[in-house]
Amino acid sequence: MAKTKPAPVESETAIRVRALEAILIEKGLIDPKAIDALVDTYETKVGPRNGAKVVARAWFDPAYKQRLLADATSAIKELGFSGMQGEDMVVVENTDSVHNVIVCTLCSCYPWPTLGLPPVWYKSAPYRARTVSDPRGVLKEFGTILPEDVEVRVWDTTAELRYLVLPKRPAGSEALGEEALAALVTRDSMIGVTVL
Amino acid sequence: MNGIHDLGGMHGFGPINPEPDEPVFHAEWEKRVFGLFATTSAFAGFSVDEFRHAIENLPPAEYLETSYYEHWLHSFEEMLAIRGIVTKAELDARVDQIRQGGQ
């Protein structure tokens, strides 16, 4: 006899969302296909691979890096990444003496066009609370231990201005081309919680 | 304005526990809520600031106990109720209908 799988129980929240969407559709106020398209965009098209391309270009092309640090919004737009939640961008560069990390203490502000949607931990109370008071302790939780003489700078993102960390180019990557360089760049290194 | 959302420097929240290989969304309803922002703000005429203000006005315990996209849902309900587009009663009735097997 075939076993019948019990139907998954829909959470109260899931039911409420379904109810709200159904009402809005019936009133002719929204098109569910527009929601599908937005979800697809942020699941498959916009994400940290975009930011990795920006970082790789900056490592590869010194003139681009200069433009990126001087006017990040325009330089990022050159690569075709712009729009919602990335209207005003600042790129902060990690060096031998400075390490940067980004947070949004008030909410969840994050550079969508270059990093996609933020992970849950970025939006969580412990990360938002502690990054500004104990950044080294936070970095340690991500396995990042920096020498004492490296200055840690914490950038508190706002609704208007979004930051992106330009990580240090890994040693031994001198011979790599732009595409291979981009493959080395992780999301967390562009938030600044890890190094490469 | 001060409020529970102003979390910078607060103590006692424990470890961060990042999730390895985290998906963009954790449930189907999160996807729908995400897509509701651009679609709903367009016709209802609210800004990100007004939307976030509703989240910041959540009772502190509820703010901390509910997830990011639950915050969004709360704000949509507020934005739509204030404008008389979808009343709380209307939404509650539809929720009951779905619970009883309807659509």
Side-chain angles (χ1 to χ4, degrees):
Chain A
M1 202 176 89
K3 276 185 189 167
T4 48
K5 213 174 154 189
V9 179
E10 199 175 11
S11 73
E12 282 301 304
T13 304
I15 292 172
R16 213 162 173 80
V17 172
R18 193 142 70 86
L20 183 60
E21 187 179 356
I23 292 171
L24 294 172
I25 292 169
E26 279 170 19
K27 288 179 190 268
L29 295 169
I30 61 164
D31 177 358
K33 288 196 182 72
I35 295 180
D36 296 342
L38 280 161
V39 168
D40 180 61
T41 297
Y42 286 93
E43 274 195 318
T44 65
K45 296 181 182 77
V46 179
R49 294 339 299 160
N50 292 0
K53 286 179 189 161
V54 172
V55 169
R57 174 68 57 88
W59 286 343
F60 196 72
D61 177 351
Y64 180 77
K65 179 176 160 184
Q66 214 170 7
R67 290 203 296 285
L68 184 67
L69 294 175
D71 178 357
T73 312
S74 303
I76 291 168
K77 207 172 172 182
E78 279 179 44
L79 301 192
F81 311 131
S82 62
M84 211 157 56
Q85 314 298 320
E87 292 89 346
D88 281 294
M89 292 289 304
V90 167
V91 168
V92 286
E93 183 188 14
N94 286 350
T95 65
D96 290 336
S97 55
V98 174
H99 179 89
N100 298 283
V101 56
I102 62 175
V103 63
C104 174
T105 59
L106 292 175
C107 185
S108 54
C109 298
Y110 191 74
W112 289 12
T114 39
L115 293 186
L117 301 181
V120 165
W121 60 260
Y122 183 86
K123 302 175 283 194
S124 74
Y127 184 74
R128 288 162 53 191
R130 209 138 41 78
T131 302
V132 287
S133 58
D134 178 23
R136 282 178 195 273
V138 166
L139 292 178
K140 209 172 160 186
E141 281 184 50
F142 288 86
T144 306
I145 296 165
L146 299 168
E148 277 305 312
D149 60 349
V150 172
E151 179 192 344
V152 179
R153 291 184 188 162
V154 178
W155 301 87
D156 197 354
T157 307
T158 70
E160 283 78 31
L161 186 65
R162 313 288 163 115
Y163 298 96
L164 182 76
V165 174
L166 176 59
K168 266 171 63 186
R169 185 171 173 162
S173 67
E174 292 76 11
L176 297 180
E178 214 175 310
E179 216 169 298
L181 285 171
L184 299 176
V185 183
T186 62
R187 176 196 70 197
D188 289 359
S189 72
M190 293 181 280
I191 299 173
V193 290
T194 58
V195 291
L196 300 172
Chain B
M1 197 177 78
N2 286 334
I4 187 61
H5 63 283
D6 194 358
L7 285 170
M10 279 191 198
H11 293 167
F13 292 119
I16 296 159
N17 293 331
E19 177 186 345
D21 301 317
E22 184 182 331
V24 177
F25 299 103
H26 290 75
E28 195 55 34
W29 69 264
E30 288 192 352
K31 300 180 187 183
R32 307 318 290 172
V33 167
F34 172 72
L36 276 175
F37 182 81
T39 48
T40 303
S41 61
F43 73 78
F46 57 84
S47 65
V48 177
D49 299 316
E50 189 184 356
F51 176 74
R52 203 177 48 238
H53 185 64
I55 293 173
E56 293 166 356
N57 276 341
L58 273 165
E62 195 179 335
Y63 182 94
L64 293 174
E65 281 167 0
T66 50
S67 73
Y68 179 71
Y69 287 115
E70 283 173 324
H71 292 174
W72 282 37
L73 174 62
H74 165 83
S75 189
F76 289 134
E77 289 188 31
E78 287 288 311
M79 295 298 99
L80 294 167
I82 290 166
R83 287 162 175 76
I85 298 170
V86 180
T87 63
K88 294 267 181 197
E90 196 178 357
L91 182 59
D92 288 342
R94 189 61 174 250
V95 166
D96 285 340
Q97 192 183 313
I98 291 175
R99 271 202 206 112
Q100 285 155 23
Q103 281 303 306

